[in-house]
Amino acid sequence: MYMDNLEDREDLHQEIIIQLWKSYANFKGDSAFSTWMYRVAINTAITYFKKDKRRNDRFSSEKVREPVSENYDPLKDRQLEVFYLAVQQLNQVEKALIFYFMEGLSHRDIGLQLGISEGNARVKLARTKDQLQNIIKKSNYELG
């Protein structure tokens, strides 16, 4: 979800596994192991975005497999497709803002993760949400 094409996803996947291996000794058990793994993966993805200067924003139309445990809902599927197509038009920091927001992080925590102030995170997130809405409206599809 964080990378646009297969090669970038594979590179990021490998980087996440390396970071999990390197930081395993730092796992203190204060949270569930899966939560800790998820945080390492998210932080690695953000760091990867910041370091990857040569990357162009491009979209790959490869299909993502549907989760096995969910019933298929064509409307929900279309809404997700429109949302992810819109997100692909954002820059890396804007993508991170949206995904951190979707994960339920506070403005303070988003700011800490991105190295910006809480106020700046709040403003950037609001602008990014507006930008996403405009992109979706231009695609002639409302998410309802």
Side-chain angles (χ1 to χ4, degrees):
M1 172 165 63
Y2 287 92
M3 303 309 288
D4 299 335
N5 63 50
L6 180 61
E7 293 83 15
D8 288 340
R9 283 193 298 271
E10 288 173 349
D11 288 347
L12 179 57
H13 181 253
Q14 183 176 11
E15 186 65 27
I16 288 170
I17 290 178
I18 290 167
Q19 290 306 316
L20 285 166
W21 184 261
K22 285 181 177 178
S23 59
Y24 177 72
N26 296 329
F27 176 64
K28 296 180 178 125
D30 296 337
S31 62
F33 186 70
S34 60
T35 302
W36 172 81
M37 286 179 57
Y38 187 71
R39 297 303 304 152
V40 170
I42 293 297
N43 290 334
T44 303
I46 298 304
T47 302
Y48 190 85
F49 285 149
K50 289 179 181 179
K51 287 182 180 178
D52 194 9
K53 302 288 186 201
R54 62 182 161 62
R55 184 183 177 305
N56 294 338
D57 280 333
R58 55 194 181 275
F59 176 73
S60 174
S61 61
E62 297 172 8
K63 296 291 180 186
V64 177
R65 287 180 279 150
E66 286 292 318
V68 177
S69 63
E70 289 187 17
N71 292 329
Y72 180 72
D73 179 354
L75 178 61
K76 183 178 178 183
D77 190 49
R78 177 67 180 137
Q79 289 173 336
L80 285 171
E81 179 184 351
V82 169
F83 174 76
Y84 286 119
L85 286 171
V87 167
Q88 294 304 321
Q89 296 181 43
L90 302 174
N91 68 39
Q92 286 108 348
V93 173
E94 292 165 339
K95 286 178 187 178
L97 282 162
I98 290 299
F99 289 127
Y100 276 145
F101 171 74
M102 290 172 57
E103 292 163 12
L105 269 66
S106 67
H107 293 113
R108 179 182 174 278
D109 289 339
I110 292 172
L112 287 172
Q113 293 298 324
L114 296 177
I116 59 178
S117 70
E118 178 179 348
N120 196 359
R122 185 182 323 274
V123 169
K124 283 182 180 280
L125 181 59
R127 289 180 182 162
T128 302
K129 285 181 189 177
D130 289 342
Q131 185 178 352
L132 262 179
Q133 286 179 335
N134 289 332
I135 292 168
I136 291 168
K137 284 178 185 174
K138 286 180 185 176
S139 73
N140 294 321
Y141 187 86
E142 294 291 328
L143 291 179

